[in-house]
Amino acid sequence: RAALVYLWQYERTGEAEFLELARACLNFVMYMQTDDGSFYNFVTDREGTINKTGNTSFKSLGWWAMRGFWALGEGVRVFDSLDSEYAGRLEQVYLKTQGALGKTLGNYGEYTSLHGFEIPAWIPGGEPTIAGIGVLGLAAYYRTRPNDTTADVMTKIADGLAQYRLGDHKTYPFGMHPLRSNAPG
């Protein structure tokens, strides 16, 4: 989240200090990524030992992964015209996570029943709020590097989010878009 703030503040002000703070945050995001594109969330000490056993730092494509992914997409976008070599490093890391997200979409178009509702089964992790953050990362990257693969992953996830709607304007829960699949309303 801090990387996003610094990137956007740099764009707003042009102050180099914010760009360097963003770079430090993005370096941390890259450090926390695993070979398969997921992320850990915390370190355990000042030396930067990755916490691989904490109950909020297990390897995943969850909250912290999607926040990092979003930051990487924005980082590619902002650094593209400022430091193309660094933007390229960010892109390599970004693409690992995009690939991991893409692999979760093998059941695109399938539905599952949950609490009496038919819902899209392909939303990554079954969590709309987490998947929505992923879409922000995809969109940021796509703005700078439009391509068919990113468009496909982004469209499929966004399609699932749009369809994950319970009821309609006359039927409970009146068109609600649930935050989580385990709490549908």
Side-chain angles (χ1 to χ4, degrees):
R1 292 175 284 194
L4 295 170
V5 170
Y6 292 137
L7 288 166
W8 296 341
Q9 188 68 355
Y10 168 75
E11 287 182 306
R12 193 178 75 71
T13 67
E15 293 180 31
E17 174 188 10
F18 294 118
L19 194 61
E20 291 314 306
L21 289 167
R23 187 186 302 262
C25 292
L26 290 165
N27 289 343
F28 180 76
V29 169
M30 289 190 288
Y31 174 71
M32 299 301 284
Q33 188 189 53
T34 67
D35 289 339
D36 67 2
S38 17
F39 291 84
Y40 288 100
N41 195 27
F42 292 111
V43 295
T44 59
D45 53 38
R46 290 182 181 272
E47 288 72 39
T49 305
I50 295 175
N51 181 347
K52 296 181 178 181
T53 59
N55 64 352
T56 60
S57 191
F58 52 90
K59 183 175 94 161
S60 82
L61 285 175
W63 282 107
W64 49 85
M66 290 303 98
R67 289 190 303 238
F69 181 63
W70 183 14
L72 291 168
E74 287 287 353
V76 171
R77 184 185 64 75
V78 172
F79 277 99
D80 188 55
S81 62
L82 302 170
D83 183 344
S84 61
E85 183 180 322
Y86 188 66
R89 284 182 50 218
L90 294 171
E91 179 179 39
Q92 289 174 5
V93 176
Y94 165 92
L95 289 173
K96 281 187 203 177
T97 302
Q98 178 181 288
L101 269 177
K103 288 177 184 175
T104 70
L105 301 173
N107 59 348
Y108 178 73
E110 296 176 15
Y111 293 82
T112 188
S113 183
L114 180 68
H115 305 290
F117 296 99
E118 291 297 305
I119 62 166
W122 67 90
I123 294 174
E127 297 298 338
T129 53
I130 296 170
I133 295 168
V135 170
L136 294 171
L138 290 155
Y141 178 80
Y142 188 83
R143 284 177 61 189
T144 301
R145 305 260 199 300
N147 67 85
D148 291 342
T149 302
T150 302
D152 183 61
V153 173
M154 182 170 43
T155 300
K156 286 177 177 173
I157 295 172
D159 186 41
L161 294 173
Q163 290 185 45
Y164 195 167
R165 184 172 167 225
L166 308 180
D168 59 28
H169 70 285
K170 295 180 182 179
T171 310
Y172 178 83
F174 309 109
M176 182 186 99
H177 290 275
L179 296 176
R180 300 182 57 118
S181 57
N182 68 353

